[in-house]
């Protein structure tokens, strides 16, 4: 903000500064300098006074010195030559008997930030390191860091580094911590301070002397230390234990972070540390300052990824106060969603319902989508609330509800009836494009069940000329097309009008292209159109498992106590790459029966006779499972949406594949196999889930038990080292277990359909169909077989696996693990 | 690793800017103003990221304080630092306001210089800072003071200087608590906690050693084991469970951890000895019973009863009940038995003020609110009824049992010290839903 008349001000100040009368009077001189600083902070350019101010620097008055230094540090970079004049005064000050003057001079010398002055600064800095006053040493130590920052490429003086290392033993804790900081900066390229055993122990012992900031710093540096023995590790942990409960949230968080890095090999210890830290974290959540509350909430969200049950009993702590800022409310709701269980669901929903009418629209919408998330497991109660909210006829609420309902129906198709009923009449209140898009999608997909659907669409089509949102237009096109397929008589006329408008008058290319596409599609005949538009729908009998698998702590440990958890979308995306989780490793004891099941040379069918027929205890099977060392892990986690996308893409590839694209096909494979095990269809999802998780396989969706066909979708990541290649290979395996209720004679068939066989995919599919039709013997003989086991006719679960990238050995090993799990389950039941 | 610190007024004008590191450019100051202060919407998050620079901001009355960094720092620490900065500034010039900041900007620059060096927090204790800061008493330092700095900086006790002398040794101890409550319309406590502070003002000569005792449950239980069972039963009732507490750096934490005794050498003048929080057995000084009845579409009847729930010899003061009204209120008729009640259209609330109220009493207000008919079908969100008050006791039940002073070198004993103890319980966020 340059002042008008700033030149006058500067001229006046200059006159005053060079007036000998002023200079001789202490107080007047000081006041004039004060005026200069005031002008400076108001934005007046007073750089022209530099030389006068340099002169004012030579004084015995400490106050005046400080004022002048403030000025010099701001303008030194503009006047490098004149700054040379200051150096002399500063160097003289470094000899002053008063430690305060010495430290002041030293600090400002390094704050000038002029590379040309470095040679003059080094000597006083070296002297400062050996000063007897601690406050000078503090400044000198950091001074070296500043110096290094000025010339990052210059060589590091080994003597200085040694001196700094020795100053780690300084009696003053701040000097010690500053040494750590300086060394971290100077040795950045070498990875920071070398933390060996003596240094680590020294730091740990002196931790108590430091203030909050020092403790945080030391704890952070200590993260790099790896104790040599288990005893040492536990000694350190017990030493750190009190600071785990520190009343200062930064210290507490830094300690947790250190715990996690020290115990990265001992998950049980780090989990119990997290349990201990629950109290302080909750306290931070209730602290008086909202920013700290926010930071604590974000970190709790992080913890819940691994320990979903950690805060279960304390859910009331996450109820929002009326006056809390929106960002805290939204985080609290996200936490509440994670904490819902059978006991508290009523209370939590009641609470969330209250937030839906919040004054802040963002908060209200967040509350509605939180209810939607809970709706995945408690759909009836949530739908009741959501439909109730529609009655308020509030624009932003209706919009959020419709969007939430759209997402909910996608996951829980069983609630589509209630949704269809609720949709009536909400088009009047919807204003924003997001909400209208959601409504159109719902009308398109469930058009046959919403009686008023064509009329609603007609209103939209009549107003399409004035529609501004592209998203709404494209969604409208799709919805009308879909509705046309199920209710042609009512829709034909308006579809014609819409297509005509979009093709003839619409200016946007995207909309026009889509309209043209639909138009040409209709020319190809109704069947073709149906195939394109009515894609697969979720099977209404499938329930998605909501509980995300508990992630291993190591997944997020590195981002604990940094900025990352505070970013809005950080919680969603997994940053850690590669499976650093605790994998289940199966020993490389060769299993002759299975080793050739998936031999790449046999493309058609392979018998797996007896391979999976020896039920053993789960401990044994791991040892006998695979021919290669294989480890499974659940990270990075896959969301149901991603799974669906990947699964369907694979399917699509098979269907559309021609013979040409061979190079692409190398990296994925699809396998079908039958595994004998009678019990799974009748065991509860929980026990199957638990059994699968034991070996790090994650089940994503289940049909309820005792329904036919019974299905389970699952996935895992495999890692194993190839015998011929050194680098470990990781693959992703998606799988479907299907039990149709048929008994079968033949023991097992593997259909391996590798992608490099051109039409193998379709062939296999057809084969499967035939097989199903061929086997009419569908009498349920479960009860007999349970007692007999083994060699008899067995029911089989069909396993379809998809792997990417392709890795036969891993797939084979995985199959054997899966088979054994299923076997074990059934043998336990029997 | 704070790269810079900026202070803005509510208009976004920069009052103070101090850059510690080269990686923070001059445009960072403007980026924050444009993206946060001038942004139309509400603050999305206390950490804002602009062009790979993170701005941690805290607002105190009209003033924004922003710490800027380019590194992935420890968020809790930066916030804690900002609070500390606010505390230090308040200790020097009182309330943080535009006026005060403008008048004290040299002092603030000086403070910023001492507290942070190269972006690393150095010395943040108000007492210890006082010897470094020249602005307060504008006088050059005497020899004596210079030697104090040396001893102060090298010695173990950073918060107290030696050679303090008073004619009268006095100690003031305030237990300040704020009680927070969220209650459902049916009278169910949804959440309640007390956050309290023990604030002291000490005017003691020499280097006294103090010992502070309160009715902490853990201590009392421990003592009860040694003493007679009768005593334990008696005191056990009155003891309180402290969820968590923080101390001033002068308190010997090792002693607290091992024996749970609070012993310390106090700083001179004002300081906060401890801060604590309790959630169990809270005495809720007031109970608010709301009754809202909608009579047709244009009328609302509200009746609110407040009951005081403490000894009838005590007096609560500055009681204020705030009953929110809908936005389309056209007129309000209020009848209250006690105090004054007024409808404040600008705040959309009926404010009912009572100067004093004794314990175990009851008072009520009833109001008829007339509404303008609107075609806006928006449901009124019914904000909670909030309450403010001040009571002369500690709602957590905390009691000071003793405060002993020992000074072995000078000849005054515990009995010569005049001690004052005061309890004040205030309302924090004290809300009842209706």
């Amino acid at each position: 903000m340059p002042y008008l008349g700033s030149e006058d001000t500067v001229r006046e100040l200059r006159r005053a500064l060079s007036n000998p009368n002023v200079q001789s009077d202490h107080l007047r001189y000081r006041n004039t300098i004060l005026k200069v600083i005031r002008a400076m902070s108001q934005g007046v350019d007073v750089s022209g006074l530099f030389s006068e101010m340099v002169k004012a620097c030579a004084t015995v008055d400490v106050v005046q010195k400080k004022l002048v230094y403030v000025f010099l540090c701001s303008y030194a970079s503009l006047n490098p030559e004149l700054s040379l004049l200051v150096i002399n005064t500063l160097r003289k000050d470094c000899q002053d008997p008063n430690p305060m003057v010495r430290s002041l001079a030293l600090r400002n010398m390094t704050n000038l930030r002029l590379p040309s002055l470095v040679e003059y600064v080094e000597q006083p800095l070296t002297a400062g390191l050996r000063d007897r006053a601690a406050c000078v040493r503090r400044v000198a130590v950091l001074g070296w860091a500043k110096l290094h920052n000025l010339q990052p490429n210059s060589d590091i003086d080994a003597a200085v580094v040694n001196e700094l290392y020795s100053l780690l033993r300084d009696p003053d804790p701040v000097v010690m911590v500053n040494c750590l900081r300086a060394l971290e900066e100077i040795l950045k390229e070498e990875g920071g301070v070398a933390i060996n055993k003596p240094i680590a122990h020294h730091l740990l012992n002196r931790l108590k002397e430091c203030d909050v900031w020092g403790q945080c710093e030391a704890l952070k540096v200590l993260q790099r230390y790896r104790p040599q023995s288990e005893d040492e590790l536990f000694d350190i942990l017990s030493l750190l234990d009190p600071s785990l409960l520190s009343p200062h949230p930064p210290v507490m968080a830094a300690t947790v972070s250190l715990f996690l890095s020290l115990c990265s090999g001992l998950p049980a210890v780090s989990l119990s540390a997290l349990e201990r830290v629950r109290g302080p974290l909750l306290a931070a959540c209730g602290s008086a300052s909202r920013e700290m509350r926010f930071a604590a909430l974000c970190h709790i969200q992080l913890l819940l990824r691994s320990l979903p049950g950690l805060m279960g009993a304390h859910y009331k702590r996450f109820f929002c106060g009326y006056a809390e800022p929106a960002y805290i409310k939204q985080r609290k709701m996200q936490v509440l969603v994670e904490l819902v269980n059978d006991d508290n669901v009523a209370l939590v929903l009641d609470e969330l319902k209250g937030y839906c009418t919040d004054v802040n629209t963002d908060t209200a919408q967040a509350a509605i989508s939180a209810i939607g998330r809970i709706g995945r497991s408690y759909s009836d109660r949530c739908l009741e609330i959501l439909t109730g909210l529609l009655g308020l006829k509030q624009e932003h609420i209706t919009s959020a509800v419709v969007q939430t309902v759209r997402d909910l129906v996608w996951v829980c198709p069983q609630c589509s009836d209630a949704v269809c009923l609720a949709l009536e009449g909400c088009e009047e209140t919807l204003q924003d494009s997001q909400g209208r898009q959601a409504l159109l999608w719902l009308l398109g997909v469930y058009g046959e069940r919403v009686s008023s659907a064509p009329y609603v669409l007609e209103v939209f089509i009549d107003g399409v000329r004035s529609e501004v949102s592209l998203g709404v237009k494209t969604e409208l096109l799709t919805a009308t097309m879909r509705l046309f397929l199920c209710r042609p008589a009512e829709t034909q006329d308006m579809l014609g009008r819409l297509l005509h408008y979009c093709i003839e008058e619409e200016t946007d290319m995207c909309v026009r292209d889509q309209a043209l596409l639909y138009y040409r599609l209709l020319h190809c005949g109704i069947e073709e159109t149906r195939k394109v538009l009515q894609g697969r729908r979720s099977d209404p009998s499938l329930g998605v498992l909501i509980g995300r698998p508990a992630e291993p702590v190591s997944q997020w440990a590195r981002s604990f106590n940094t900025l990352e958890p505070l970013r809005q979308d950080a919680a969603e995306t997994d940053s850690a790459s590669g499976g650093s989780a605790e994998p289940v490793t199966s020993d490389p004891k060769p299993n002759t029966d299975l080793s050739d099941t998936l031999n790449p040379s046999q493309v058609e069918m392979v018998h797996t006779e007896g391979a999976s027929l020896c039920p053993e205890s789960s401990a044994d099977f791991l040892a006998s499972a695979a021919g290669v060392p294989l480890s499974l892990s659940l990270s990075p986690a896959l969301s149901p949406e991603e799974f669906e996308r990947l699964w369907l893409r694979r399917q699509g590839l098979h269907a559309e594949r021609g013979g040409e694209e061979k190079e692409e096909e190398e990296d994925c494979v699809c396998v079908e196999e039958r595994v004998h095990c009678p019990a799974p269809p009748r065991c509860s999802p929980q026990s199957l889930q638990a059994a699968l998780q034991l070996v790090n396989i994650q089940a994503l969706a289940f049909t309820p038990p005792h329904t036919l066909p019974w299905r389970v979708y699952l996935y895992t990541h495999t890692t194993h080292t190839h015998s011929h290649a050194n680098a470990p290979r990781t693959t992703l395996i998606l799988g479907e277990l299907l039990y149709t209720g048929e008994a079968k004679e033949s023991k097992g068939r593997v259909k391996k359909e590798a992608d490099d066989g051109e039409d193998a995919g379709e062939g296999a599919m057809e084969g499967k169909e035939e097989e199903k039709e061929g086997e009419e013997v569908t009498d349920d003989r479960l009860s007999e077989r349970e007692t007999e086991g083994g060699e008899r006719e067995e029911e089989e679960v069909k396993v379809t696996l998809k792997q990417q990238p392709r890795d036969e050995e891993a797939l084979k090993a995985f199959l054997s693990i899966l088979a054994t799990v299923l076997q074990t389950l059934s043998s336990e039941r029997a | 690793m704070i790269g810079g610190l900026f202070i803005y007024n509510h208009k976004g004008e920069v009052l103070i800017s101090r850059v510690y590191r080269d990686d923070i450019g001059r445009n960072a100051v403007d980026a924050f103003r444009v993206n946060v202060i001038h942004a139309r919407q509400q603050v999305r998050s206390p950490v804002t990221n602009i062009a790979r620079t993170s701005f941690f901001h805290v607002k105190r009355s009209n003033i924004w304080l922003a710490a800027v960094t380019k590194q992935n720092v420890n968020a809790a620490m930066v916030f804690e630092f900002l609070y500390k900065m606010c505390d230090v500034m308040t200790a020097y010039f009182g309330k943080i306001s535009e006026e005060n900041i403008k008048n004290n900007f040299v002092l603030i620059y000086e403070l910023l210089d001492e507290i942070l060096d190269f972006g690393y927090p150095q010395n943040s204790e108000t007492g210890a800072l006082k010897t470094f800061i020249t602005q307060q008493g504008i006088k050059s330092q005497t020899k004596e003071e210079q030697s104090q700095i040396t001893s102060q900086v090298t010695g173990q006790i950073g918060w107290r200087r030696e050679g303090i002398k008073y004619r009268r040794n006095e100690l003031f101890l305030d237990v300040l608590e704020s009680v927070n409550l969220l209650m459902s319309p049916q009278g169910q406590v949804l959440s309640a906690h007390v956050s309290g502070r023990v604030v002291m003002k000490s005017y003691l000569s020499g280097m006294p050693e103090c010992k502070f005792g309160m009715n902490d449950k853990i201590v009392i239980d421990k003592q009860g084991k040694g003493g007679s069972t009768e005593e334990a039963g008696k005191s056990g009732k009155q003891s309180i469970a402290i969820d968590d507490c923080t101390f001033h750096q002068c308190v010997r934490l090792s002693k607290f951890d091992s024996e749970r005794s609070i012993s310390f050498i106090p700083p001179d003048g004002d300081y906060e000895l401890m801060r604590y929080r309790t959630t169990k057995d809270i005495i809720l000084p007031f109970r608010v019973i709301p009754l809202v009845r909608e009579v047709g579409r244009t009328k609302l009847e509200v009746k609110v009863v407040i009951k005081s729930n403490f000894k009838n010899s005590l007096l609560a003061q500055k009681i204020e009940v705030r009953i929110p009204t809908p936005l389309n209120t056209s007129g309000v008729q209020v009848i209250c038995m006690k105090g004054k009640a007024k409808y404040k259209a600008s705040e959309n609330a009926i404010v009912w003020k009572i100067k004093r109220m004794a314990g175990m009493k009851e008072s009520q207000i009833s109001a008829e609110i007339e509404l303008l008919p609107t075609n806006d079908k928006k449901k009124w969100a019914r904000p909670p009824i909030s309450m403010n008050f001040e009571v002369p006791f500690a709602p957590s039940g905390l009691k000071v049992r003793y405060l002993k002073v020992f000074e072995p070198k000078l000849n005054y004993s515990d009995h010569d010290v005049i001690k004052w103890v005061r309890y004040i319980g205030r309302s924090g966020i004290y809300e009842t839903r209706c």
Side-chain angles (χ1 to χ4, degrees), chain A residues 140 191 342 390 438 473 485 494 506 510 545 577-578 604 616 638 661 667 679 698 807:
Chain A
D342 289 344
L390 287 176
K473 283 187 202 170
L485 292 177
M494 58 174 109
E506 177 59 47
C510 287
L545 284 183
S577 58
E604 262 311 310
E616 290 168 334
L638 207 63
E661 324 161 45
D667 67 336
Q698 176 63 32
D807 184 348

Side-chain angles (χ1 to χ4, degrees), chain B residues 120-384:
Chain B
Y120 294 110
Q122 300 285 310
N123 192 348
S124 52
E125 211 44 59
T126 320
L129 273 172
K130 270 196 176 139
T131 36
F132 290 96
I133 301 298
T134 52
Q135 279 302 308
Q136 202 117 71
I138 304 186
K139 56 174 184 195
S140 66
Q141 290 182 317
T142 58
K143 272 271 160 60
E144 197 189 345
E145 276 171 327
Q146 284 174 17
S147 66
Q148 269 170 20
I149 296 171
T150 329
S151 72
Q152 202 248 53
V153 162
T154 46
Q156 283 289 311
I157 298 159
W159 55 90
R160 189 180 178 94
R161 57 199 172 86
E162 282 188 56
I164 299 171
K165 277 204 183 70
Y166 288 101
R167 286 233 319 269
R168 234 155 76 115
N169 288 307
E170 270 186 303
L171 253 183
F172 297 87
L173 194 152
D174 285 349
V175 178
L176 307 175
E177 295 197 335
S178 77
V179 49
N180 297 283
L181 168 80
L182 183 62
M183 195 177 247
S184 76
Q186 290 78 33
Q188 187 193 11
V189 176
L190 292 174
S191 76
H193 72 268
V194 169
S195 55
R197 304 187 299 148
V198 176
V199 177
M200 279 191 150
K201 205 185 273 188
S202 65
Y203 300 111
L204 299 171
S205 313
M207 280 293 201
E209 170 88 35
C210 297
K211 229 178 154 184
F212 173 69
M214 55 184 177
N215 55 342
D216 182 358
K217 196 171 185 181
I218 298 171
V219 176
I220 299 223
D221 288 355
K222 214 187 264 175
Q223 288 172 350
K225 261 177 220 162
S228 66
T229 46
E230 187 191 341
E231 196 186 81
K234 212 171 120 192
S235 55
K237 224 183 263 173
Q238 290 163 349
S239 63
I240 60 162
I242 288 179
D243 285 17
D244 46 83
C245 50
T246 330
F247 293 103
H248 188 268
Q249 73 172 119
C250 65
V251 175
R252 293 193 187 87
L253 285 176
S254 51
K255 255 194 166 161
F256 180 74
D257 290 340
S258 55
E259 313 162 22
R260 236 177 140 84
S261 76
I262 303 167
S263 68
F264 55 99
I265 294 175
D268 198 38
D270 286 340
Y271 60 96
E272 188 182 287
L273 180 69
M274 72 178 280
R275 214 174 250 244
Y276 57 91
R277 233 170 52 92
T278 68
T279 49
K280 288 190 195 78
D281 301 324
I282 294 168
I283 310 158
L284 295 171
F286 285 96
R287 170 83 208 279
V288 178
I289 305 156
L291 230 112
V292 181
R293 209 158 65 88
E294 284 175 44
V295 189
R297 293 197 56 191
T298 58
K299 207 169 157 194
L300 210 64
E301 276 182 10
V302 181
K303 200 171 113 180
V304 176
V305 181
I306 59 169
K307 279 184 183 168
S308 57
N309 178 31
F310 45 88
K311 260 192 254 164
N312 44 17
S313 58
L314 298 175
L315 272 180
Q317 285 183 307
K318 299 179 191 163
I319 301 152
E320 185 186 287
V321 182
R322 192 170 277 269
I323 304 161
T325 55
L327 295 171
N328 54 338
T329 304
S330 63
V332 175
Q333 270 113 40
V334 213
I335 309 160
C336 58
M337 305 192 313
K338 216 175 165 199
K340 278 179 194 158
K342 225 189 210 169
Y343 166 61
K344 292 198 173 162
S346 59
E347 293 164 40
N348 280 314
I350 300 168
V351 181
W352 177 26
K353 284 183 181 166
I354 305 171
K355 274 196 187 135
R356 270 179 218 93
M357 186 166 173
M360 308 314 267
K361 289 265 164 45
E362 198 179 301
S363 186
Q364 71 163 330
I365 183 173
S366 48
E368 280 186 9
I369 301 170
E370 267 163 47
L371 303 174
L372 288 172
T374 52
N375 48 6
D376 185 14
K377 286 178 199 140
K378 189 170 183 172
K379 199 186 163 203
W380 179 44
R382 283 204 192 169

Side-chain angles (χ1 to χ4, degrees), chain A residues 722-752:
Chain A
H722 258 282
S723 41
H724 45 85
N726 285 328
R729 283 187 62 181
T730 45
T731 64
L732 170 67
I733 295 183
L734 310 178
E736 179 198 47
L737 306 183
L738 175 69
Y739 168 73
T740 44
E742 302 153 358
K744 271 199 42 152
E745 310 280 306
S746 62
K747 282 292 165 250
R749 265 163 32 121
V750 176
K751 265 201 201 122
K752 193 178 130 295

Side-chain angles (χ1 to χ4, degrees), chain A residues 431-443:
Chain A
Q431 298 292 323
D432 67 321
S433 62
Q434 289 293 330
R436 283 184 300 164
Q437 279 180 50
L439 177 69
L440 285 171
W441 185 87
L442 283 167
L443 287 177

Side-chain angles (χ1 to χ4, degrees), chain A residues 374-387:
Chain A
I374 297 176
R376 294 182 186 182
S377 18
Y378 301 93
S379 49
D380 295 344
R381 295 171 197 241
C382 294
L383 267 179
E384 194 180 315
I385 294 178
L386 289 176
T387 47

